[in-house]
């Protein structure tokens, strides 16, 4: 498949994915980010299109809303860590675009959602097994304690283009 068609088909897959995960509360805020805001956290999916072929990687990520980071860090597992059999690819055929979007949405609704409800929950994020670093744990704890920094919250919303 030539690169122009590969890119065009990737965009079609991602548009279809957007519609499929909308019922989960995710909104596409950037070309490769789907976001939903929780009370103290932002849960987001970042999808990376590989340059070497028609394949995607899914990052299931979390960020404390009160984070002081000036960039979007991908704290969370990639698809292979949640399901080693996960594979997201497409071809030139239009049916493969739908199949890929469906496989990605099923992965998110099953594996990402399970991760968010267990290891992505506030108590787990504050534990020693957390995907968050020390600074991010502190940002979350401060938020849970009612010590929010409105500048940090606005920066998080701006970085992730949350309206």
């Amino acid at each position: 498949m030539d690169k122009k068609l590969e890119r065009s088909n990737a965009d079609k897959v991602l548009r279809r994915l957007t519609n499929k995960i909308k019922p989960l509360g995710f909104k596409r805020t950037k070309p490769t980010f789907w976001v939903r805001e929780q009370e103290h956290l932002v849960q987001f999916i970042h999808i990376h299109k590989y340059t070497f072929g028609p394949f995607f990687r899914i990052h299931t990520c979390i960020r404390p809303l009160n984070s002081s980071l000036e960039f979007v860090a991908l704290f969370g597992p990639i698809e292979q860590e949640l399901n080693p059999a996960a594979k997201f690819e497409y071809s030139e055929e239009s049916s493969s675009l739908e199949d890929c979007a469906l496989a990605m949405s099923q992965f998110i609704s099953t594996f990402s959602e399970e991760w968010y409800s267990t290891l992505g929950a506030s108590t787990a994020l504050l534990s020693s097994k957390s995907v968050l670093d020390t600074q991010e744990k502190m940002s979350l704890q401060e938020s849970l304690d009612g010590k929010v920094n409105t500048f940090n919250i606005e920066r998080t919303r701006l970085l992730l283009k949350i309206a």
Side-chain angles (χ1 to χ4, degrees):
M1 177 175 356
D2 86 344
K3 286 296 177 185
K4 191 173 181 179
L5 179 60
E6 185 179 307
R7 181 77 249 158
S8 173
N9 282 349
D11 292 340
K12 290 174 185 173
V13 169
L14 298 179
R15 282 195 301 274
R16 290 174 181 179
L17 174 66
T18 298
N19 292 329
K20 292 181 182 312
I21 63 174
K22 193 179 291 184
L24 300 174
F26 287 101
K27 293 179 185 171
R28 190 176 188 182
T29 60
K30 297 171 84 172
T32 60
F33 285 82
W34 288 259
V35 177
R36 68 179 176 196
E37 188 176 328
Q38 302 296 309
E39 186 177 4
H40 300 283
L41 300 165
V42 177
Q43 298 173 339
F44 65 98
I45 302 295
H46 168 64
I47 300 187
H48 172 77
K49 159 71 178 71
Y50 287 108
T51 57
F52 59 80
F55 310 98
F56 293 103
R57 177 177 59 215
I58 295 179
H59 289 263
T60 299
C61 303
I62 199 118
R63 178 185 173 103
L65 197 53
N66 195 41
S67 175
S68 61
L69 291 178
E70 296 179 6
F71 57 91
V72 178
L74 301 179
F75 289 113
I78 61 169
E79 81 281 350
Q80 294 297 303
E81 294 170 295
L82 297 177
N83 177 9
K87 188 174 172 184
F88 311 110
E89 64 180 291
Y90 58 93
S91 68
E92 293 180 17
E93 299 165 20
S94 62
S95 62
S96 79
L97 307 180
E98 181 63 28
D99 293 345
C100 184
L102 183 61
M104 292 166 76
S105 70
Q106 288 174 337
F107 175 87
I108 292 166
S109 64
T110 304
F111 295 98
S112 296
E113 289 288 61
E114 181 182 326
W115 186 84
Y116 284 132
S117 67
T118 56
L119 299 175
S122 293
T123 50
L125 291 170
L126 294 172
S127 76
S128 61
K129 295 181 180 175
S130 177
V131 295
L132 298 178
D133 65 16
T134 304
Q135 177 184 342
E136 293 299 277
K137 285 183 193 177
M138 198 164 61
S139 295
L140 177 57
Q141 187 62 61
E142 287 171 354
S143 182
L144 292 169
D145 293 342
K147 301 173 189 168
V148 296
N149 180 322
T150 54
F151 178 77
N152 288 348
I153 291 172
E154 288 308 311
R155 178 177 34 228
T156 292
R157 287 184 176 139
L158 184 65
L159 286 169
L160 290 168
K161 303 216 182 283
I162 301 171

